[in-house]
């Protein structure tokens, strides 16, 4: 059996999409960091809107780091129009503080701006982990998603979009891209503004040797993490015929593959489940979802069965 996670490493809890009053959030960066730390998070990325109206902010959260809590610099990037004519939203975590702004003063798209794919590629070249932000909320089309060729992940659960407009999901976008052979991962986030109950609802657990920006960023890029609303994924192992999932107590374990391929097992207080892969025999990838008795979920990144 092949293991997905290196369980000798600690797994750090963090939120990758957060706003402060440097853009349209309600709280100062110091208070945002204090609240996440108080709620048991090990790290966050403040990702304020990178537009001229707010002064192209990349929040300096370095002063809020200590031995038990760290931060990763980042921003929500905007530039160019999606197919629906609205401005791109692209999450970039691990940006340098001097990342060059584009020509985006407001949330309006203009022809003289660089495109969304162009600013995403520039962020990746600068060292960032880049994700397609809230595709359901944005009205992202498949053509839009295909164009972001340099992205590492799709934001498949956005807690702010769940609470504010019931458009939290990005799994359809992710699965369509996976079906075309794109090797993308997924993230759950808050997109917290603290103007409504949009916080502490979705996070990542990153397996890394140290809780440092450098180690966390490397693990994110390598896909050594999972996403959650509460349940823990402790290990996933697989061979050609089955997948074994070890987790905190849940009511359902589901293995999804390409197209309609999926197998579920339901029960009470499930902590170790072996699921046959016969229905996924033609799928080059699978991913795992677990759902606890309260309806809270955790999700693995896709596992590719072929090199």
């Amino acid at each position: 059996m092949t293991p997905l996670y290196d369980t000798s490493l600690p797994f750090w809890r963090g939120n990758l999409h957060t706003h402060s009053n440097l853009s349209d959030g309600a709280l100062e960066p110091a208070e945002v960091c204090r609240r996440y730390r108080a709620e048991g998070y090990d790290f966050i990325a403040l990702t304020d809107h990178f537009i001229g109206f707010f002064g192209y902010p990349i929040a300096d959260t370095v002063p809020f780091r200590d031995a038990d809590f760290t931060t990763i610099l980042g921003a929500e990037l905007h530039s160019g129009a999606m197919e629906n004519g609205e401005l791109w939203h692209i999450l970039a975590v691990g940006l340098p503080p001097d990342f060059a702004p584009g020509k985006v003063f407001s949330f309006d798209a203009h022809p003289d701006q660089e495109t969304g794919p162009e600013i995403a590629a520039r962020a990746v070249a600068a060292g960032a982990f880049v994700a397609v932000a809230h595709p359901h909320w944005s009205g992202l089309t498949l053509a839009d998603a295909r164009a972001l060729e340099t992205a590492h992940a799709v934001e498949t659960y956005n807690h702010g979009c769940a609470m504010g407009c019931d458009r939290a999901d990005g799994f359809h976008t992710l699965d369509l891209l996976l079906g075309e052979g794109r090797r993308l991962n997924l993230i759950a986030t808050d997109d917290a503004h603290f103007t409504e109950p949009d916080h502490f609802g979705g996070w990542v657990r990153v397996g890394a040797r140290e809780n440092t920006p450098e180690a966390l960023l490397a693990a994110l890029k390598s896909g050594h993490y999972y996403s959650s609303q509460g349940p823990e994924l402790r290990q996933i192992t697989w061979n050609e015929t089955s997948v074994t999932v070890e987790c905190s107590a849940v009511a359902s374990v589901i293995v999804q593959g390409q197209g309609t391929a999926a197998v579920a097992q339901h029960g009470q207080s499930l902590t170790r489940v072996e699921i046959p892969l016969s229905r996924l025999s033609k799928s080059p990838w699978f991913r795992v979802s677990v759902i606890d008795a309260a309806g809270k979920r955790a999700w693995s990144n896709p596992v590719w069965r072929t090199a």
Side-chain angles (χ1 to χ4, degrees):
M1 300 288 279
T2 303
L4 182 58
Y5 303 122
D6 181 353
T7 55
S8 70
L9 298 175
F11 276 70
W12 312 97
R13 181 187 183 196
N15 179 36
L16 298 175
H17 193 165
T18 327
H19 297 274
S20 74
N21 64 359
L22 296 182
S23 61
D24 60 347
L27 305 176
E28 295 183 356
E31 178 62 11
V32 175
C33 291
R34 187 199 70 79
R35 292 194 187 188
Y36 273 93
R37 177 173 176 168
E39 293 290 334
Y41 285 70
D42 300 299
F43 71 94
I44 66 163
L46 265 183
T47 52
D48 280 303
H49 295 288
F50 197 65
I51 63 175
F53 180 78
F54 298 122
Y56 297 108
I58 296 179
D60 180 11
T61 54
V62 174
F64 313 125
R65 299 172 182 170
D66 61 27
D68 300 315
F69 181 83
T70 197
T71 65
I72 309 176
L73 302 189
E76 187 170 354
L77 304 178
H78 308 280
S79 193
M82 301 180 296
E83 281 201 332
N84 63 6
E86 296 188 17
L87 197 67
W88 275 95
H89 292 241
I90 298 165
L91 192 64
V93 175
L95 286 173
D98 59 351
F99 184 73
K103 299 177 180 179
V104 187
F105 180 76
S106 67
F107 286 108
D108 297 316
H110 298 287
D112 63 339
Q113 296 168 349
E114 62 187 324
T115 67
E118 287 171 344
I119 198 169
R122 194 156 60 81
V124 170
F129 172 85
V130 167
V132 183
H134 39 60
H136 189 184
W137 181 88
S138 295
L140 200 78
T141 67
L142 180 57
D144 288 327
R146 284 173 176 152
L148 279 178
E149 296 180 352
T150 56
H152 298 93
V154 175
E155 190 178 55
T156 49
Y157 178 74
N158 180 302
H159 190 58
C161 292
M163 301 306 292
C165 61
D166 198 25
R167 290 178 172 176
D169 195 86
F171 283 105
H172 186 225
T173 299
L174 173 69
D175 286 352
L176 288 175
L177 293 173
L178 294 175
E180 295 180 349
R182 287 282 301 276
R183 299 205 172 196
L184 286 159
N185 290 319
L186 63 95
I187 56 171
T189 71
D190 275 345
D191 196 358
H193 293 71
F194 288 91
T195 54
E196 57 185 341
D198 58 2
H199 37 281
F200 316 138
W203 55 85
V204 291
R205 288 272 190 182
V206 182
R209 185 71 60 189
E210 300 174 326
N211 186 31
T212 62
E214 297 78 13
L216 294 168
L217 197 58
L220 286 166
K221 291 178 181 178
S222 72
H224 195 246
Y225 67 92
Y226 66 89
S227 301
S228 183
Q229 299 171 310
E232 296 179 8
L233 285 175
R234 292 171 178 162
Q235 186 57 281
I236 296 171
T237 54
W238 74 95
N239 57 26
E240 287 302 307
T241 60
S242 67
V243 176
T244 299
V245 179
E246 299 172 58
C247 55
S248 57
V250 299
S252 300
V253 178
I254 306 169
V255 180
Q256 300 102 331
Q258 188 161 312
T260 60
V263 183
Q265 183 168 325
H266 310 288
Q268 295 182 345
S269 304
L270 302 174
T271 58
R272 189 179 190 277
V273 172
E274 184 175 358
I275 293 183
L277 285 174
S278 53
R279 289 197 60 187
L280 286 80
S281 60
K282 296 182 180 180
S283 178
W285 56 270
F286 68 85
R287 58 181 180 82
V288 173
S289 301
V290 299
I291 310 171
D292 69 15
K296 299 297 185 181
R297 289 161 164 78
W299 306 276
S300 78
N301 284 321
V303 177
W304 289 85
R305 302 168 68 189
T306 56

